Amino acid sequence: MKKILFFLLASIFVIAQKTETINLSKSIKDSRNIYSSFTVIDQRESPEIGGVQFHKDQVNIAFENNASGDIKDWFTKYNKLGSGEHLVFLIEKINISEEKKDKFQIGKLDFRASTFIKKEDGYHFLFKKDTVATVSSRETPYMAQSLAKKVALICADLLKDSYRKMSWEFSISESELANYEVLLKDKLDILKTETLKDGVYKDSHNFFTNNVESGFTLQANDKGIVTKAVNGDEKKPVRNFYAFVHNGIPYKVIPMGYTEIFKNEKGLFIEARKEDLFPEGSSNTIAIGTAAGGLVGGLIAVAIDASFTKKKRGIPEYEVYLDPLTGNYILPENFGKAK
């Protein structure tokens, strides 16, 4: 009798378990066709992703077969492999969990993956996605379907962003991939030196490696506000750059102008409020996710209000760190919320 009851309960449990498959169908074509091979390394301890509840059923989110095989098949479906570089997709974390409220649930996706170019001397970093996405059952009843779509979209975005990146000069071995972030940060000049080169830095990688744009000098207006970088007859507004250093002081270009960059034992950071980084009324799309306990958002290139630097009101509310691997903001957990 006990055995019969056990099998009945087990059958009910199996029936109540449903699966939402991650649909990898979005085009991830790279028109350059520069990759000779593509490898997926899944360093997660478990292939399980997690799930959420729909009515009385537990709906698990999963790849159709397995993460490594499905992502590789997806890439080769849209990209013709030829002679060139060896692209590597490193899966670090894909976790889905659920928080139950009084009358609704919140589904949470915690995602982390990165890309590398594999060469004879090791793995060279390209880009990473470290983000958290949430879905509320009040707005999206089919949370499992929405979360599965988010996994596919983030993977697609990571690959497309990686196509446009130059691989880092520093290399690491395959055994060091699990600790690549710490190892790469340790090699960055700007985190170790006290002497910075005056001038402009076109992107975050050049800034963190202290690689200034050759030939450019900074030009300020009659109010002392730096507005342009000049190289002979070539003049570029500073808003076209990631950062600049003026009289030995580094500044981060932001939508409202620019602001000083500080350094402590945690890394480089700026002091800013939400409206400084994400002004209302901007038509630009801002990607926001989470990393290291905070939020990550991309920089927007919009017109600079140069007077902002002279108008900052007192001490800003938040320390916003700069991710040395991507240049993105690492925002405090309650960034922009009333204290």
Side-chain angles (χ1 to χ4, degrees):
M1 184 66 183
K2 288 182 179 180
K3 289 184 178 180
I4 295 173
L5 181 60
F6 171 79
F7 284 114
L8 281 173
L9 291 173
S11 300
I12 293 171
F13 179 75
V14 170
I15 293 171
Q17 293 282 317
K18 296 186 177 181
T19 301
E20 181 67 39
T21 302
I22 298 169
N23 181 12
L24 300 176
S25 60
K26 183 179 176 66
S27 174
I28 50 172
K29 181 176 176 58
D30 176 21
S31 58
R32 302 170 303 164
N33 290 328
I34 64 168
Y35 300 112
S36 61
S37 55
F38 178 71
T39 299
V40 181
I41 300 175
D42 189 351
Q43 66 176 21
R44 297 175 298 161
E45 293 183 358
S46 170
E48 301 298 323
I49 292 176
V52 294
Q53 193 167 351
F54 180 68
H55 298 314
K56 295 182 179 180
D57 297 327
Q58 175 70 17
V59 184
N60 294 319
I61 290 86
F63 287 92
E64 184 174 2
N65 299 297
N66 60 75
S68 297
D70 289 0
I71 293 175
K72 184 173 184 178
D73 290 344
W74 181 34
F75 182 86
T76 53
K77 175 184 177 181
Y78 287 100
N79 293 281
K80 182 179 179 180
L81 298 178
S83 59
E85 298 180 318
H86 182 169
L87 180 62
V88 177
F89 189 102
L90 178 68
I91 306 172
E92 302 171 66
K93 182 193 299 181
I94 309 177
N95 291 335
I96 289 177
S97 57
E98 182 180 38
E99 182 181 356
K100 295 184 179 181
K101 302 293 184 178
D102 289 340
K103 295 183 179 180
F104 64 99
Q105 298 88 27
I106 295 177
K108 177 182 176 183
L109 166 63
D110 193 353
F111 181 99
R112 181 182 172 92
S114 48
T115 53
F116 296 81
I117 294 296
K118 185 180 180 181
K119 301 182 181 181
E120 290 183 359
D121 63 340
Y123 292 79
H124 294 252
F125 177 78
L126 277 176
F127 201 59
K128 72 169 184 173
K129 289 285 184 181
D130 189 350
T131 187
V132 166
T134 58
V135 177
S136 171
S137 62
R138 290 189 297 186
E139 300 171 355
T140 309
Y142 303 103
M143 291 197 303
Q145 185 181 66
S146 179
L147 289 166
K149 286 181 178 179
K150 288 183 182 296
V151 173
L153 287 173
I154 295 171
C155 288
D157 287 344
L158 173 55
L159 285 168
K160 289 182 177 181
D161 288 342
S162 298
Y163 299 157
R164 300 190 294 268
K165 299 294 181 180
M166 294 290 293
S167 60
W168 284 36
E169 177 186 353
F170 316 124
S171 67
I172 57 175
S173 66
E174 185 166 348
S175 63
E176 294 173 323
L177 284 176
N179 199 35
Y180 75 88
E181 190 165 358
V182 173
L183 294 172
L184 291 179
K185 284 180 181 179
D186 189 54
K187 295 182 179 182
L188 294 175
D189 290 343
I190 204 166
L191 298 178
K192 297 182 287 185
T193 183
E194 296 298 328
T195 304
L196 304 178
K197 301 172 185 176
D198 271 23
V200 288
Y201 298 79
K202 67 176 181 179
D203 55 35
S204 62
H205 180 61
N206 282 319
F207 176 65
F208 279 94
T209 54
N210 204 11
N211 184 19
V212 70
E213 288 294 286
S214 177
F216 281 93
T217 58
L218 294 167
Q219 186 178 88
N221 62 17
D222 55 2
K223 296 181 181 180
I225 304 296
V226 176
T227 58
K228 297 176 182 178
V230 181
N231 184 4
D233 294 332
E234 186 178 8
K235 296 182 179 181
K236 294 183 178 181
V238 292
R239 69 171 177 267
N240 289 358
F241 299 92
Y242 178 81
F244 65 89
V245 176
H246 184 50
N247 295 329
I249 301 174
Y251 296 91
K252 176 74 173 68
V253 177
I254 62 176
M256 298 302 294
Y258 56 84
T259 188
E260 186 173 348
I261 299 172
F262 303 96
K263 182 168 69 172
N264 62 18
E265 68 281 357
K266 296 179 182 179
L268 301 184
F269 67 95
I270 60 176
E271 294 179 333
R273 298 160 300 178
K274 182 180 179 181
E275 55 267 30
D276 299 334
L277 304 182
F278 311 119
E280 294 183 8
S282 170
S283 60
N284 298 68
T285 300
I286 307 167
I288 299 180
T290 68
L295 301 175
V296 175
L299 171 68
I300 320 169
V302 296
I304 285 182
D305 174 9
S307 62
F308 165 78
T309 7
K310 294 295 186 182
K311 290 181 179 178
K312 294 188 78 173
R313 301 184 297 274
I315 299 175
E317 296 181 12
Y318 299 95
E319 291 182 353
V320 178
Y321 286 84
L322 305 176
D323 186 335
L325 299 191
T326 64
N328 290 341
Y329 304 128
I330 301 177
L331 308 178
E333 188 172 354
N334 296 317
F335 185 72
K337 297 180 181 180
K339 291 188 175 181

